[in-house]
Amino acid sequence: MRARFAGFQDIIEDFDQVRAIIRKPIPAIEHKILDHLDPICRDFIAASPFVVLASRSPDGWLDLSPKGDPAGFVRVLDDHRLAIPDRPGNRRVDTFHNLLTNPELGLIFLVPGKGETLRVSGEARLVRDEALRQSMAVKGRVPEFAIVVYVERAFMHCPKCVMRSGLWKPERWGDASSVADIGTAMIAHAEIDQTPEQWFETIKKDGGLDMY
């Protein structure tokens, strides 16, 4: 493993080396972690249309999966539990596969226009509870599954990274016209002998472009 990072000087080997450079945070920051969802967390989740899920595969790989829907699509059930509906996607269901082996899940919620993010982690289960799924229907479509998370840690993250990136400021956005779209990427990465237009038509016929 060390050979992968050959040529770099001063590779950090333990956390004391980090603390020698970065001072400890003030006590309030160290103690801001909750073991439940308070009203501030609840309000943030209710306003969020986008969350990223972090899980670990049976082989130990880390996966990050973005989820988006109308604001408030993640349902807070009580002070310790929240539910995330599963919408139609690419059918890889990596997160499902991961959770059935490693039930730990990390979440980071974003709210457009806000610099702060909300970090949540805990133990998760994949459920098909009928009443819960019915309550999360969108445009008449009921999700086939929901991920229920028992919250063990929750805290607000400072806005500096969002401020530095200019994430919500269009005037700071660069020209993304040359960045590949999903069709171009799929054709290149999966070595598909199709044009992007042909690939999109294939996916459309298969139902893969259905929003809900």
Side-chain angles (χ1 to χ4, degrees), residues 36-53:
H36 64 283
L37 299 173
D38 73 345
I40 292 175
C41 295
R42 286 170 172 260
D43 288 346
F44 200 97
I45 293 170
S48 175
F50 189 82
V51 62
V52 179
L53 284 61

Side-chain angles (χ1 to χ4, degrees), residues 43-161:
D43 288 346
F44 200 97
I45 293 170
S48 175
F50 189 82
V51 62
V52 179
L53 284 61
S55 59
R56 186 180 294 276
S57 77
D59 297 326
W61 299 108
L62 287 172
D63 278 324
L64 293 170
S65 177
K67 303 290 183 183
D69 239 338
F73 77 102
V74 175
R75 292 275 308 282
V76 175
L77 305 177
D78 55 43
D79 287 352
H80 282 282
R81 297 179 300 173
L82 56 79
I84 307 164
D86 183 64
R87 305 297 182 195
N90 60 18
R91 304 177 192 162
R92 285 182 55 94
V93 292
D94 292 317
T95 301
F96 291 0
H97 190 229
N98 297 346
L99 292 179
L100 290 171
T101 304
N102 301 309
E104 296 82 14
L105 190 67
L107 310 171
I108 186 161
F109 292 90
L110 287 83
V111 173
K114 292 288 290 184
E116 294 81 3
T117 54
L118 177 67
R119 293 165 60 175
V120 176
S121 60
E123 184 177 345
R125 290 292 185 275
L126 185 62
V127 306
R128 298 204 71 237
D129 183 275
E130 180 71 20
L132 176 60
R133 291 189 296 115
Q134 288 285 349
S135 72
M136 295 190 288
V138 172
K139 297 184 179 179
R141 295 287 295 273
V142 178
E144 293 289 349
F145 299 92
I147 297 173
V148 174
V149 183
Y150 185 89
V151 175
E152 296 171 325
R153 290 165 59 90
F155 64 95
M156 295 284 286
H157 193 92
C158 78
K160 288 184 178 179
C161 61

